[in-house]
Amino acid sequence: MKRILLAATALSATIAITPVHAQSEAGAQVSSAVDDIVVTAQRRSESVQDVPIAISAFSADQLQKQGVSNTLELGRFVPNLVSMNNTGVGSANAFYLRGLGNTETIPTFDPPVGTYVDDIYLSRQNANNINLFDVERVEVLRGPQGTLFGRNTTGGAVNVILREPGNEFGGYAEIGYGRFNKKVVRGSADIPLADSFAVKISGYWQNDDGYAKNVTTGQRLNDDDGWGVRLGIRGDLAPGAKWTGSYAHIVANGENIMNFQCNPANPSECDGRFVTTGLRAGKTAETSPYLATVSGRKANYLMGNRTSTDLVTSKFEFDVAQNLSASLITGFVSQTQQYALDFYDGRTGPTLANPVPPVLGLAHGAFVITNDGQHEQFSQEIKFNGSVGDGLIDYVAGAYYLVENNRTDFADLFSTSATSQFLLADRILRNKTEAYAGYAQFDLNATEKLKLTAGIRYTDETKTFELSDNRLSCNDGTVEATCLNTGNLFGPSGLAVPHKQSAKLWTPRFAVNYKATDDILLFASATRGFKSGGWNARATNVSTFLPFGPEKVWSYETGIKSDWFNRRVRANLTFFYTDVSDLQTPSAILNANGSATFITRNFADMRNKGVEAEFTFVPVNGLNLYVNGGYQDAEFRIDKNAPAFDEFGVQSVYAQQQACLAALAAGNVPGVGTSPCGAGIVAADGSIAKPTRTPKWTIAFGGNYEAELGSSGMTLVPSINASYRSSQETSASNLTIYSGSITGANGTFPGNPYEGTILAGSYSPAAWFLNAGLALNGADKAWQLSVSCTNCLGETAANTSLVNTRYIDPPATWMIRARHNF
């Protein structure tokens, strides 16, 4: 997987940017009804309104008018979806759908919301912040999709479908300039080479200064630079036979380095975003910037994140017989990722005893992870679509194979002074995944109105890993027991960690949908999914490199999809109940020396229930309005009868909770040192924590109006889009550090874990966001001038955190674009 998920970025970013319609839509008329979007959520083409699945589907035009330029921004418009960049890594998105998500990029973890580009599953979330340029559409499928999309879709799937080469010569060229000196150049051309053969050549380049100022080094950080090229091919080989393929190469350098609204070195300065680490940004240094001895080329990495991706896709579609077609879908992804990131901003981690750590400006950083990864993935699928019995039964069936190889060379360093630095770990992780699957789904058209669906998927996967310690003391002819080598890994109980995991699971789906009228669909479904197990590869000692098992889920849905008044109004409503077993929960604990210990276990089960509503209106021609809303109520469920310690010696959540309650009864302040309170999924007050990134409410509304300017053929399109999410927690233990001192039996501390002004940690208050734009289109949309802003009011909110820190969203940005279609 040499360069994995950024492949998605590759494909979409390089394909052909569409701030208006795609070139094939250049002469589109002013809208007079809600778009009828064709989706492939059931691995066949059908209207979104005919699919008994909770789907948010966006056409290219909708994405542009709502100010959505990449998959990260979908989180502000899809009910019960929260999306954020991973800590440090601006190229990686973590999606949380209905409370299921994962913020890890180490390849022993799998995301529960799958990302797909043109039917190709992207295993890694290292670089899945896909730029949405010249896409046909984007589908966000809520709830498990384990039957047709497979493993690692317990939360859902983000499905990006790109435009194929057109039948006529055409294309576009675009330039843009925006805040923080952002420059964008994009272009695409469709070139028919014969009546049955065409290619698409696309490319882009973007560069900016970064929105955060490093007051220690004088550099600007959190830029989003990159470039890419793509070649798309479409050939009609014969009647009933078609081939589409593409190759894309993308380079993307984007960071999400922790920054602050006010300058930590001068708190009265609050007119920007500020960073204080002394680790300089750049690619590589001639000599290592670190005091400790780090092995390999990662020893010379400077602050920054660099990814390079190659993606090859191929799809043959052909008719096998009457009412039976087949598709051969092949994908190859190769990605490299290189980064050095200071996760503590050159300081120690915030604690109750030191809630606002002083600026140190250490040239070698504070808590630094430096990473050199290569990732390769190959997948092959054969899929059949057909019907029998004169349309009585429709079906889709197929077989799937995936193999993934990863090599990650990474080191963790920690320092609190200018003269010393601790090498917490330096190791090479090699891991492989091989998975086979077979699936089938049958739709029985019982009557003209009633359809019964049953589907099943069988998955057989095997995962293995090898770990080798890079430290000199572990490579001098002896291997000490503390070396991070495969044979040294034992849990606290002394039980050896298995080097291989296998899973064989069935994931069925059952659904019934009733077409009350041509415009009203009622449906109900029960679906199972699972997410693969893995290992806690973030461990920096041999006793915490522990395995965790698969995460399994049953989801139950019922809802209605409806169009009214000649498709002037669309109203879709879904009720869901999600039952998750063995939830994989990553958590981080701050050690006494200020460093962090990461651990992931199947700590608990989770239940989530809620409702999702999506309304679209076209009250008059050219005016498009929408209101989307989601409500969810998620909670952990723990086993009170579980043994106090599991087979690897890890304390159960219930036993930890009882220890926490005893400590609180003794008058101890929680969240201090090795306190059992405010750790794992036990909150500071001794309750079981609230699941992360499960805001009760997510709401989005807005619209656009396409106004014709007399008889000139030109149109003016203003748009405005607002979104809201209620408060949420962003760390597993829900620990937040507030201003105001507290005294307990274990001491007096300047910060407290209960109330006051938020200084650091998990809690993220409710937040509003606003996007807006204004576009002037020429006659037949031959050209466009536009201005837009994202997060226009500069709202600040945190969607993620790490060991008591808070990572806030980017500030307000604006962009002016000029585009010519030809």
Side-chain angles (χ1 to χ4, degrees):
M1 257 186 257
K2 205 172 165 184
R3 304 160 220 180
I4 220 159
L5 276 153
L6 193 40
T9 308
L11 202 50
S12 19
T14 53
I15 195 159
I17 295 78
T18 45
V20 204
H21 294 261
Q23 50 262 31
S24 62
E25 296 177 332
Q29 299 299 311
V30 171
S31 59
S32 59
V34 178
D35 288 344
D36 187 17
I37 301 177
V38 174
V39 299
T40 52
Q42 294 193 116
R43 307 302 306 278
R44 59 175 178 249
S45 296
E46 52 194 334
S47 169
V48 66
Q49 292 299 95
D50 292 334
V51 180
I53 297 173
I55 307 171
S56 296
F58 301 86
S59 67
D61 192 44
Q62 285 176 303
L63 293 167
Q64 181 269 325
K65 290 177 179 176
Q66 290 179 214
V68 178
S69 61
N70 56 53
T71 51
L72 177 69
E73 295 166 352
L74 292 170
R76 293 182 180 169
F77 300 98
V78 176
N80 292 329
L81 172 65
V82 175
S83 60
M84 77 292 298
N85 280 141
N86 280 21
T87 53
V89 184
S91 60
N93 288 350
F95 296 108
Y96 275 69
L97 255 175
R98 297 178 177 174
L100 293 175
N102 194 318
T103 57
E104 260 295 355
T105 58
I106 285 290
T108 55
F109 294 80
D110 292 306
V113 179
T115 301
Y116 293 79
V117 176
D118 284 350
D119 286 327
I120 302 301
Y121 171 60
L122 303 172
S123 300
R124 299 294 105 229
Q125 97 180 3
N126 303 58
N128 63 338
N129 190 17
I130 303 172
N131 292 301
L132 300 174
F133 307 143
D134 203 25
V135 296
E136 180 72 28
R137 65 186 181 279
V138 176
E139 306 168 10
V140 180
L141 285 60
R142 304 189 295 276
Q145 306 297 322
T147 302
L148 295 179
F149 285 85
R151 51 195 276 280
N152 303 332
T153 54
T154 50
V158 177
N159 193 18
V160 179
I161 295 89
L162 304 170
R163 288 195 181 278
E164 297 179 0
N167 293 318
E168 299 178 359
F169 177 79
Y172 77 94
E174 180 186 80
I175 59 172
Y177 182 81
R179 192 180 184 194
F180 307 115
N181 198 30
K182 184 164 188 175
K183 301 171 286 291
V184 177
V185 179
R186 301 166 177 165
S188 178
D190 289 332
I191 307 173
L193 300 178
D195 290 342
S196 60
F197 188 78
V199 300
K200 176 189 285 287
I201 300 173
S202 306
Y204 85 104
W205 172 85
Q206 63 185 42
N207 180 275
D208 66 85
D209 293 342
Y211 63 79
K213 179 182 178 181
N214 189 328
V215 298
T216 302
T217 66
Q219 297 176 303
R220 297 199 68 86
L221 300 174
N222 285 355
D223 55 347
D224 185 15
D225 301 337
W227 63 273
V229 293
R230 177 183 183 264
L231 173 66
I233 303 172
R234 176 186 56 79
D236 298 319
L237 307 180
K242 175 184 175 182
W243 175 66
T244 53
S246 70
Y247 165 74
H249 176 75
I250 287 291
V251 173
N253 305 325
E255 295 84 39
N256 179 32
I257 295 166
M258 186 168 62
N259 59 97
F260 302 85
Q261 286 179 281
C262 296
N263 181 358
N266 179 15
S268 64
E269 184 182 359
C270 300
D271 59 349
R273 294 293 183 86
F274 301 92
V275 176
T276 68
T277 179
L279 182 62
R280 293 190 62 83
K283 188 175 182 181
T284 57
E286 292 185 5
T287 59
S288 175
Y290 309 109
L291 300 181
T293 301
V294 180
S295 70
R297 59 186 181 183
K298 68 182 186 298
N300 292 68
Y301 291 171
L302 295 172
M303 178 84 94
N305 170 55
R306 297 169 295 279
T307 60
S308 178
T309 299
D310 293 290
L311 173 64
V312 179
T313 66
S314 174
K315 185 175 183 179
F316 286 96
E317 302 172 271
F318 51 92
D319 294 334
V320 178
Q322 187 176 9
N323 298 323
L324 176 61
S325 63
S327 300
L328 294 173
I329 305 167
T330 307
F332 175 74
V333 185
S334 177
Q335 181 189 68
T336 63
Q337 182 174 36
Q338 301 171 337
Y339 66 75
L341 299 167
D342 185 354
F343 291 90
Y344 276 179
D345 189 40
R347 295 174 284 166
T348 61
T351 64
L352 293 182
N354 188 14
V356 185
V359 173
L360 299 177
L362 303 176
H364 47 269
F367 177 42
V368 175
I369 297 179
T370 179
N371 180 97
D372 185 1
Q374 292 104 30
H375 314 278
E376 291 187 350
Q377 168 197 317
F378 170 80
S379 62
Q380 179 64 62
E381 180 179 10
I382 180 169
K383 176 171 68 76
F384 297 95
N385 288 86
S387 65
V388 296
D390 196 24
L392 178 64
I393 297 176
D394 299 318
Y395 65 88
V396 56
Y400 181 80
Y401 171 75
L402 177 142
V403 61
E404 177 188 0
N405 288 286
N406 305 285
R407 181 186 184 275
T408 310
D409 183 358
F410 61 121
D412 296 40
L413 304 107
F414 179 69
S415 179
T416 57
S417 76
T419 58
S420 66
Q421 188 173 41
F422 303 101
L423 182 63
L424 301 176
D426 187 355
R427 63 284 203 205
I428 295 177
L429 170 69
R430 297 176 177 86
N431 65 295
K432 177 180 180 179
T433 298
E434 193 167 21
Y436 302 85
Y439 63 88
Q441 177 172 296
F442 299 91
D443 297 309
L444 173 63
N445 299 300
T447 71
E448 289 185 358
K449 296 181 179 294
L450 180 65
K451 179 181 292 186
L452 306 176
T453 298
I456 190 75
R457 188 184 190 101
Y458 177 73
T459 302
D460 182 342
E461 73 164 20
T462 301
K463 290 186 169 185
T464 58
F465 81 89
E466 295 179 0
L467 189 68
S468 57
D469 203 312
N470 290 325
R471 290 175 291 183
L472 293 177
S473 61
C474 298
N475 291 276
D476 59 1
T478 61
V479 179
E480 292 86 358
T482 56
C483 294
L484 284 166
N485 283 69
T486 306
N488 275 356
L489 304 178
F490 294 86
S493 66
L495 182 66
V497 172
H499 313 146
K500 177 180 178 180
Q501 291 192 44
S502 297
K504 298 177 173 62
L505 286 99
W506 296 91
T507 49
R509 170 177 169 78
F510 306 98
V512 55
N513 55 302
Y514 179 73
K515 200 79 169 173
T517 71
D518 288 343
D519 295 321
I520 299 177
L521 173 72
L522 306 174
F523 68 92
S525 67
T527 310
R528 193 186 192 211
F530 87 96
K531 182 163 85 81
S532 301
W535 292 269
N536 181 42
R538 286 289 179 199
T540 56
N541 63 72
V542 296
S543 63
T544 55
F545 196 108
L546 299 177
F548 50 87
E551 174 182 292
K552 300 174 285 291
V553 58
W554 270 102
S555 177
Y556 307 93
E557 293 182 356
T558 185
I560 180 174
K561 294 187 174 185
S562 62
D563 287 328
W564 304 86
F565 309 113
N566 260 350
R567 284 209 350 254
R568 291 280 187 175
V569 176
R570 173 165 294 171
N572 294 343
L573 189 67
T574 304
F575 297 88
F576 70 89
Y577 178 82
T578 302
D579 185 353
V580 185
S581 301
D582 301 319
L583 181 73
Q584 297 170 8
T585 309
S587 61
I589 300 170
L590 195 65
N591 299 322
N593 67 357
S595 64
T597 293
F598 298 93
I599 187 167
T600 295
R601 302 290 289 158
N602 303 95
F603 278 123
D605 299 338
M606 187 179 79
R607 306 291 184 273
N608 196 3
K609 58 182 180 292
V611 60
E612 294 153 347
E614 296 177 292
F615 300 98
T616 309
F617 311 91
V618 184
V620 297
N621 290 0
L623 178 60
N624 297 272
L625 305 173
Y626 70 92
V627 179
N628 299 334
Y631 170 82
Q632 59 184 329
D633 182 11
E635 62 177 354
F636 288 127
R637 300 283 182 90
I638 64 171
D639 183 1
K640 295 183 178 181
N641 298 315
F645 294 88
D646 67 15
E647 68 272 28
F648 288 99
V650 178
Q651 190 177 36
S652 74
V653 175
Y654 183 68
Q656 179 192 341
Q657 184 186 33
Q658 297 312 299
C660 169
L661 293 173
L664 293 174
N668 288 333
V669 175
V672 176
T674 58
S675 170
C677 306
I681 62 169
V682 177
D685 63 359
S687 64
I688 299 301
K690 177 180 174 60
T692 59
R693 300 172 187 89
T694 55
K696 289 279 189 183
W697 295 97
T698 52
I699 301 171
F701 61 88
N704 59 81
Y705 180 61
E706 192 164 1
E708 297 178 326
L709 301 180
S711 60
S712 65
M714 296 191 297
T715 56
L716 188 66
V717 186
S719 60
I720 188 166
N721 304 277
S723 61
Y724 167 83
R725 65 148 180 80
S726 57
S727 62
Q728 63 175 353
E729 299 288 348
T730 61
S731 69
S733 67
N734 296 178
L735 180 63
T736 299
I737 300 174
Y738 297 94
S739 62
S741 63
I742 188 171
T743 299
N746 54 341
T748 298
F749 306 93
N752 79 85
Y754 297 122
E755 61 182 359
T757 301
I758 298 173
L759 299 178
S762 174
Y763 183 71
S764 181
W768 279 97
F769 297 93
L770 181 72
N771 293 357
L774 182 65
L776 176 65
N777 297 314
D780 295 325
K781 294 187 170 68
W783 54 266
Q784 183 189 70
L785 299 175
S786 65
V787 60
S788 62
C789 62
T790 301
N791 189 15
C792 305
L793 302 181
E795 179 74 20
T796 300
N799 280 328
T800 192
S801 58
L802 177 68
V803 199
N804 297 344
T805 62
R806 301 177 79 231
Y807 281 71
I808 55 179
D809 288 350
T813 59
W814 53 264
M815 174 70 69
I816 300 171
R817 300 177 189 266
R819 170 175 172 138
H820 173 62
N821 295 317
F822 57 87

